[in-house]
Amino acid sequence: MNAYISQWRLDLTASAHSARHVRRIVRSLLREWELAELSDAAELGVTELVANVVRHVPDRRCVVLVLRLESGVRVEVADGASGLPCPVPESDGEAECGRGLDAVVGKWGVGPRSGGGKTVWFECVKP
């Protein structure tokens, strides 16, 4: 059986207000998918990823993909920039990057995007 049940995709040029709009869409999707208990974590996670596009991707172009899983939800944000997020060891509470996703989601990662760039993703699972 396929682990991906439903999905939503948005291609956008991110701006300072994009994270707010994407958060609302994610909240609505999670309610529709009866996963509202994951909303806080997923909204914080997608905010972090979209904000990173605004800060670090020169053309601010990205693709946001939200996938419903049997166990919860997976959110992916792909862009054309080659720079990678900088994960920080848990003991480094003073770091300026890499703590956002670790603090709110079950697991996250980054991988190469076909055609160049990267995809940063996270998953939130039902308790």
Side-chain angles (χ1 to χ4, degrees):
M1 179 166 147
N2 188 346
Y4 298 110
I5 300 169
S6 300
Q7 67 180 354
W8 175 84
R9 176 190 166 113
L10 175 67
D11 293 71
L12 75 139
T13 301
S15 71
H17 302 290
S18 296
R20 177 180 49 181
H21 299 298
V22 173
R23 252 193 332 267
R24 288 178 181 162
I25 292 166
V26 167
R27 183 182 320 127
S28 177
L29 284 169
L30 293 177
R31 264 196 317 259
E32 180 181 322
W33 294 341
E34 298 180 358
L35 296 170
E37 69 272 19
L38 303 178
S39 191
D40 288 344
E43 288 179 55
L44 285 169
V46 78
T47 298
E48 176 84 7
L49 297 187
V50 172
N52 284 343
V53 169
V54 172
R55 271 189 235 107
H56 303 294
V57 177
D59 67 1
R60 295 185 173 186
R61 297 284 310 150
C62 67
V63 177
V64 178
L65 182 64
V66 183
L67 301 161
R68 181 177 178 186
L69 307 173
E70 288 182 20
S71 61
V73 66
R74 177 181 175 108
V75 177
E76 300 179 357
V77 176
D79 62 61
S82 59
L84 300 176
C86 54
V88 177
E90 285 184 40
S91 61
D92 190 353
E94 300 300 314
E96 293 189 16
C97 66
R99 294 183 300 144
L101 289 178
D102 286 337
V104 297
V105 300
K107 62 182 177 176
W108 71 277
V110 61
R113 181 180 183 197
S114 63
K118 67 184 168 304
T119 299
V120 183
W121 59 270
F122 67 85
E123 292 180 1
C124 300
V125 296
K126 294 183 274 189

